[in-house]
Amino acid sequence: MSGERLDRRTLGVTALTMAGVAIVAGTPTVIGITGGGTPLWTALAWTVPAGLLLVGVSVLADLLRWRGTRYLVTGDRLEVTFSLVVHSRKTLARERIRSVDLTASPVHRALGVAVLTIGTGRHESGTQGRVKLDPLARADAERLRAQLLSHAKAPEHGAGEATLAKLDWSWLRYAPVSFAAPALGVAAFGAVLQASDWFGLQKGLLHWVYEFFRGLPLVLMIAVLLAAAVVVGAVGALGLFAEAWWGFRLDREPGGTLRVRRGLLTTRSITIEERRLRGVDVVEPIGNRLTGAARVDAVATGLRQREDDDKTGYRTLLPAAPLAEAGRVAAAVLGEPVAPTAAARLLPHPVAARGRRLRWWLLAALVPVLVLAVLGLMLADVLLVIAAVFAVVAVPAAVLLGLDAYRSLGHGVTGRYLVTRSGAVRRSTVALERAGVLGWTVKQSVFQRRRGLATFTATTAAGTGAYSIRDAAAGEGLEFASAAVPGVLAPFVVGGRP
């Protein structure tokens, strides 16, 4: 087939990327070799040719990929072929295209190119549900994005082009209370230990830490280390937020699409057809909830989820922002005067659901305590001290989280939306179009049955594919599910029983 080639600058992208990989991998190798007494020139004589070979082989493979790849856009389809030794052809009907996203790493941006990812909404493993054109000239990628999405139709509530949200740098204050902060703090300590090992300084570092804390009570030492991890993690979380959300804006484009643009080093442009939107998910991780913040995720059909090669969260329409702002954006996205997640009157769940949550959280807290206690009896008394400290902190926290998880439970209906809420560490309030519910799954464990509870899961083609009303009263839940989506459960429910 005749068609267009990818941009030739892909060879430069590959060369620079693999050169960076070679340097990152080669530096600790050289340090390790020279640390054993080998001269520097000998270490370089081994590592430099290996690095050049890695770059050369990678560029050659990319050259073959570039020469063999063609793409063609017609009025009704997109074709991508590879023809060299192996011949392959992938054809996508344009009406099946659900998303067209642009990504550009710092290397791509330096060379003026971008990666175009076309998604069809299929959820098979691997890359069967999407096509990647890597790379195209930036202008060509933008032109092709608009061309492939030209079939989109604006929804009835669409009001033409508008900017729905922009980054407010005051939102930066929510970054240090995210889940990323403690993870980054622990990762920083691990990185310091690894780097000190490369330079042969790990024993000296550990000795310095031991001398610094010698004489301090164990509890105080743990508190100081945790405080240091929190500070380091908070700084890292601020940097991570700035890199991910720099230049953020959420736009409604003509033709019925929502577009999210963001990123400092790596820029991302994510497009969602509004006619595929089935609702929103207002997510409140516990740190954000304590500070009055929430983020907004899209519940849409055909929107690719997080994949192994990209952990950026393609569903997020708004980062952690004040709860009022999250409600405003959710309402604007859905074309409603008030966000359904705020307008719905949520029905509480039975007291029996509270007991289940308390038991689960207490179990999660006591298992590590028991493990540490057993190890302390077998190995060292210090583990018994740690177990006692952990129990003093974790058991009250588990009770509070269990009670909070119960208070968070709720479900209701407002207008054309079904609303369900659950979670303590990560509270999620989902507004799902009732017309988008394909069916209900009703589950009862032995323990739920004894207490008259059941979990009702609305299945849908959008978002994660299933949204649950957890531990609702069995009879009331059946009536609610039957009334919320008329005609789905009615044939199977008689007198409030399935």
Side-chain angles (χ1 to χ4, degrees):
M1 111 179 161
S2 61
E4 299 184 60
R5 277 182 170 170
L6 302 175
D7 197 284
R8 189 164 189 163
R9 283 171 284 188
T10 183
L11 303 179
V13 171
T14 299
L16 291 175
T17 302
M18 298 313 297
V21 171
I23 291 171
V24 171
T27 299
T29 302
V30 170
I31 293 172
I33 294 174
T34 55
T38 304
L40 177 62
W41 67 268
T42 303
L44 293 176
W46 282 98
T47 55
V48 171
L52 293 175
L53 180 63
L54 175 65
V55 173
V57 170
S58 300
V59 171
L60 178 60
D62 200 42
L63 175 62
L64 297 176
R65 181 182 69 89
W66 173 77
R67 289 184 62 86
T69 303
R70 297 283 194 281
Y71 70 92
L72 176 66
V73 180
T74 66
D76 60 351
R77 60 190 171 87
L78 164 69
E79 284 192 5
V80 180
T81 64
F82 180 80
S83 180
L84 207 59
V85 177
V86 177
H87 299 269
S88 67
R89 171 176 296 185
K90 179 174 284 190
T91 302
L92 297 180
R94 287 181 58 181
E95 64 178 11
R96 300 294 298 171
I97 292 174
R98 301 292 180 258
S99 62
V100 183
D101 305 325
L102 296 179
T103 306
S105 69
V107 176
H108 287 102
R109 294 174 64 189
L111 295 179
V113 295
V115 179
L116 188 78
T117 304
I118 302 114
T120 64
R122 296 171 61 189
H123 295 288
E124 292 90 339
S125 60
T127 59
Q128 296 180 37
R130 60 190 175 95
V131 171
K132 183 179 287 188
L133 300 179
D134 180 12
L136 301 174
R138 183 77 193 198
D140 292 340
E142 289 283 359
R143 174 186 55 79
L144 189 56
R145 185 193 77 89
Q147 182 181 359
L148 292 174
L149 289 173
S150 60
H151 66 281
K153 297 179 181 179
E156 294 180 1
H157 65 262
E161 186 174 5
T163 297
L164 304 183
K166 286 185 177 181
L167 179 65
D168 184 336
W169 281 109
S170 66
W171 302 346
L172 194 65
R173 66 184 184 272
Y174 301 122
V177 295
S178 67
F179 289 129
L184 290 171
V186 173
F189 281 133
V192 169
L193 287 174
Q194 184 61 59
S196 65
D197 184 51
W198 290 345
F199 292 94
L201 302 175
Q202 190 176 86
K203 290 183 178 179
L205 176 64
L206 294 176
H207 178 73
W208 178 84
V209 171
Y210 173 76
E211 290 294 329
F212 182 81
F213 287 107
R214 188 169 62 174
L216 290 179
L218 178 63
V219 174
L220 182 59
M221 181 186 74
I222 293 174
V224 171
L225 290 175
L226 287 176
V230 167
V231 172
V232 172
V235 173
L238 292 173
L240 192 64
F241 182 93
E243 196 287 323
W245 296 102
W246 184 280
F248 161 77
R249 61 183 294 157
L250 170 64
D251 294 316
R252 173 174 281 126
E253 298 184 314
T257 58
L258 296 172
R259 187 178 187 185
V260 178
R261 283 174 278 193
R262 60 188 177 88
L264 176 59
L265 300 178
T266 297
T267 59
R268 303 171 182 90
S269 169
I270 301 147
T271 305
I272 303 170
E273 284 187 278
E274 287 193 82
R275 63 175 179 152
R276 306 295 173 185
L277 199 65
R278 296 292 179 266
V280 294
D281 185 3
V282 177
V283 183
E284 302 169 84
I286 190 167
N288 291 154
R289 183 148 56 98
L290 292 174
T291 53
R295 78 168 191 266
V296 179
D297 289 353
V299 177
T301 61
L303 186 63
R304 71 183 174 105
Q305 308 296 312
R306 293 185 178 188
E307 296 170 355
D308 292 340
D309 62 343
D310 200 329
K311 304 295 184 183
T312 56
Y314 272 69
R315 293 177 295 171
T316 302
L317 299 175
L318 181 76
L323 189 58
E325 176 68 5
R328 184 194 68 80
V329 170
V333 164
L334 297 176
E336 300 286 342
V338 180
T341 52
R345 179 180 174 274
L346 300 184
L347 301 175
H349 288 206
V351 176
R354 180 179 63 189
R356 283 175 57 81
R357 265 132 196 84
L358 285 171
R359 284 188 290 273
W360 277 111
W361 276 105
L362 285 172
L363 181 64
L366 291 175
V367 166
V369 172
L370 292 175
V371 171
L372 288 171
V374 170
L375 292 176
L377 293 173
M378 296 172 58
L379 301 175
D381 292 341
V382 68
L383 294 177
L384 294 174
V385 177
I386 295 175
V389 172
F390 188 86
V392 169
V393 175
V395 171
V399 172
L400 292 175
L401 287 170
L403 294 174
D404 183 64
Y406 171 68
R407 286 193 296 268
S408 295
L409 289 175
H411 60 279
V413 170
T414 176
R416 57 195 180 99
Y417 291 95
L418 165 70
V419 180
T420 176
R421 187 179 67 190
S422 63
V425 174
R426 179 189 180 276
R427 188 165 75 178
S428 170
T429 308
V430 178
L432 178 66
E433 272 190 359
R434 294 156 69 185
V437 177
L438 303 177
W440 287 95
T441 301
V442 184
K443 291 185 178 180
Q444 269 189 315
S445 68
V446 173
F447 303 104
Q448 284 179 312
R449 194 177 305 121
R450 289 173 58 187
R451 291 168 176 80
L453 304 175
T455 295
F456 299 83
T457 301
T459 58
T460 176
T464 59
Y467 295 93
S468 296
I469 301 172
R470 303 180 185 280
D471 287 335
E476 185 275 332
L478 282 170
E479 294 178 2
F480 173 83
S482 182
V485 189
V488 176
L489 273 182
F492 308 101
V493 178
V494 178
R497 296 179 63 83

